Amino acid sequence: MLAAIRAVPRHIFVDEALSARAYQNTALPIGFSQTISQPYIVARMVQALLGDAEPAGRRMKVLEIGTGCGYQTAVLAGLVRQVYTVERIAVLLERARARLRTLRLQNVHSHYADGAQGWLSYAPYDGIIVAFAPRSVPQALLKQLAPEGRLVIPVGSGGEQRLLLVQRQGEHFRNSVLEGVSFVPMQRGLG
Ligand code: SAH
């Protein structure tokens, strides 16, 4: 996990004026009232997504919702087989695509859409990771999870969000709370 974080140059994902702060363990603004997540939280979420048997991640097809600047996308691309990522703000998505091209990542596919609906065309996913907080888990995401799939998602409103790991076992979904977190709220429709 640490090697995957080390392999991604975080400064290229933020504005040049902020690049001196790119390697601090903090969230930073990326425009449109959105933030690049704190590296610790990216690592925590990705690790929960992969589970204990980390090499298993190499075979996973993962859906990321909330591409933002593309930083977490790049970290995921180094660890899993395919990354499908969805963003509702066109300008953020274009900038993220340009950065991901610079890094020559071959296993990233991106989509401009409201991610609350997931990305049906490539479902089911072995893992789904969400970078913003809805008030409750969107049903569409549960439906797009593979039978043994894992969903990592912050849920709640205001300062009361909890980071959840939802593990699907056939038709059963087992929830566990990982920790208290503070994410931007989910937005509806296209930005
Ligand atoms: N992991 C990203 C986090 C970006 S912040 C990074 O490190 O940059 C959360 C992102 O989720 C924002 O870009 C926001 O536009 C996006 N978002 C919010 N609601 C969304 C929705 N319904 N569908 C898709 N993206 C959404």
Side-chain angles (χ1 to χ4, degrees):
M1 189 63 239
L2 288 175
I5 293 273
R6 208 175 291 125
V8 178
R10 193 164 179 259
H11 68 273
I12 73 166
F13 292 89
V14 296
D15 197 83
E16 233 178 292
L18 294 172
S19 61
R21 294 171 61 195
Y23 296 95
Q24 295 172 0
N25 191 19
T26 54
L28 293 169
I30 56 172
F32 303 89
S33 310
Q34 305 302 316
T35 53
I36 176 173
S37 305
Q38 182 193 9
Y40 162 74
I41 283 292
V42 172
R44 180 85 169 92
M45 291 177 75
V46 172
Q47 194 144 44
L49 186 80
L50 301 183
D52 297 330
E54 212 174 281
R58 303 260 168 238
R59 293 191 301 275
M60 284 174 83
K61 179 168 82 172
V62 169
L63 174 65
E64 176 193 51
I65 311 185
T67 317
C69 66
Y71 173 69
Q72 180 176 267
T73 321
V75 172
L76 282 167
L79 289 164
V80 306
R81 184 165 57 84
Q82 297 293 337
V83 183
Y84 293 83
T85 186
V86 180
E87 170 59 53
R88 64 177 286 281
I89 297 177
V91 175
L92 286 181
L93 185 59
E94 279 315 315
R95 288 180 191 159
R97 280 176 174 154
R99 295 179 183 117
L100 296 165
R101 269 197 300 273
T102 308
L103 296 179
R104 295 184 203 288
L105 299 173
Q106 307 292 323
N107 56 343
V108 175
H109 316 274
S110 61
H111 186 38
Y112 173 54
D114 179 349
Q117 308 307 319
W119 188 355
L120 194 55
S121 319
Y122 296 96
Y125 301 95
D126 305 307
I128 301 181
I129 186 166
V130 181
F132 51 82
R135 285 173 182 268
S136 59
V137 177
Q139 288 300 308
L141 302 187
L142 296 177
K143 290 202 180 112
Q144 292 177 26
L145 214 47
E148 301 297 317
R150 299 162 76 91
L151 165 66
V152 180
I153 183 170
V155 170
S157 54
E160 305 256 317
Q161 305 162 5
R162 297 181 310 169
L163 185 61
L164 294 188
L165 167 65
V166 182
Q167 289 173 268
R168 182 169 189 169
Q169 281 147 357
E171 288 315 303
H172 297 280
F173 296 90
R174 189 153 57 91
N175 286 10
S176 36
V177 177
L178 300 180
E179 61 187 276
V181 285
S182 174
F183 274 79
V184 293
M186 178 168 92
Q187 309 285 335
R188 286 284 182 176
L190 293 174

